Amino acid sequence: KQEVTQIPAALSVPEGENLVLNCSFTDSAIYNLQWFRQDPGKGLTSLLLIQSSQREQTSGRLNASLDKSSGRSTLYIAASQPGDSATYLCASGTYKYIFGTGTRLKVLA
Amino acid sequence: EAGVTQSPTHLIKTRGQQATLRCSPISGHTSVYWYQQALGLGLQFLLWYDEGEERNRGNFPPRFSGRQFPNYSSELNVNALELEDSALYLCASRFGQGGNEKLFFGSGTQLSVL
């Protein structure tokens, strides 16, 4: 049974800092790993998808890496901004998608 | 191109009633997923429909059910509502194959059971 864990549960940083969010999964038989952003009371917005054969993906200030052998993925956010404040979720992709409980990020101006 | 749409946005019911939530996937997407997100908790997988068939369900009681229509839209039914069913219900459609499957989410239906 796949279990997905995200650390830390919450993070508060000053504007401009680079930061790393962590995602761990127990079953490495995944198609892909997807990172999402969720604003309060809203749906999820897809940020990055890393296929199981890939090691990383980049979009703007975001970079996500995947290490299937260790069951880990990281989301790196460069030069954080107050607009980045949200909850970040990772999901392991198989025939169903299992989500971590998320990291609540607050970027202080 | 329209995204995933869910209706209603908010739904208020009393304990014991039935709730019906609706989802329209992005045009061309044949897979629909339903998730429950209770306050302070993560997304819990409810149901997966593909090509009109239920493919998998999560660890929820049978009073949670649904269906997918020929146009790939879907509805989630919750019977005999309980207070703990209060949550944000999210629908997602899936696109892609070969490891490039990506989920696209709607804005959700906030269900409140009084």
Side-chain angles (χ1 to χ4, degrees):
Chain A
K1 179 190 169 188
Q2 178 74 287
E3 293 182 6
V4 180
T5 306
Q6 290 188 246
I7 293 173
L11 186 60
S12 186
V13 300
E15 181 177 7
E17 270 205 12
N18 302 324
L19 51 99
V20 176
L21 309 181
N22 297 293
C23 171
S24 300
F25 48 94
T26 54
D27 186 351
S28 63
I30 59 173
Y31 303 157
N32 56 49
L33 192 293
Q34 199 167 352
W35 282 92
F36 295 87
R37 167 191 173 132
Q38 185 177 29
D39 293 287
K42 301 289 180 60
L44 280 66
T45 301
S46 178
L47 297 173
L48 288 165
L49 180 147
I50 313 173
Q51 295 184 44
S52 62
S53 58
Q54 298 174 326
R55 295 300 300 265
E56 65 179 289
Q57 282 288 330
T58 298
S59 177
R61 295 183 293 108
L62 305 179
N63 175 275
S65 66
L66 175 64
D67 184 344
K68 278 184 56 178
S69 62
S70 66
R72 292 184 180 181
S73 177
T74 60
L75 178 67
Y76 176 83
I77 303 177
S80 58
Q81 303 171 357
D84 294 332
S85 298
T87 297
Y88 290 80
L89 297 131
C90 64
S92 67
T94 56
Y95 58 92
K96 63 182 181 183
Y97 293 78
I98 304 300
F99 283 79
T101 50
T103 294
R104 282 192 322 279
L105 172 66
K106 191 167 192 176
V107 181
L108 305 170
Chain B
E1 181 185 280
V4 177
T5 58
Q6 292 187 246
S7 63
T9 305
H10 294 87
L11 190 57
I12 300 174
K13 294 286 187 178
T14 56
R15 199 168 48 182
Q17 285 188 314
Q18 180 199 28
T20 298
L21 289 63
R22 295 180 176 83
C23 172
S24 293
I26 294 172
S27 177
H29 294 194
T30 62
S31 272
V32 170
Y33 291 78
W34 287 95
Y35 288 87
Q36 181 196 66
Q37 187 177 34
L39 192 64
L41 299 179
L43 272 77
Q44 301 298 315
F45 169 72
L46 265 167
L47 289 159
W48 170 34
Y49 291 95
D50 184 55
E51 299 280 358
E53 301 283 333
E54 181 181 305
R55 302 296 183 180
N56 200 265
R57 66 179 291 130
N59 189 25
F60 280 84
R63 58 191 186 82
F64 286 83
S65 65
R67 54 181 171 166
Q68 186 177 33
F69 299 99
N71 66 353
Y72 305 118
S73 67
S74 176
E75 68 179 27
L76 173 68
N77 295 294
V78 188
N79 294 320
L81 284 165
E82 300 179 3
L83 296 178
E84 54 264 34
D85 296 333
S86 295
L88 180 66
Y89 288 82
L90 292 165
C91 168
S93 66
R94 190 186 72 185
F95 181 77
Q97 56 185 356
N100 203 31
E101 298 85 354
K102 187 179 275 192
L103 287 182
F104 296 84
F105 278 85
S107 299
T109 292
Q110 184 67 55
L111 174 63
S112 298
V113 182
L114 307 178

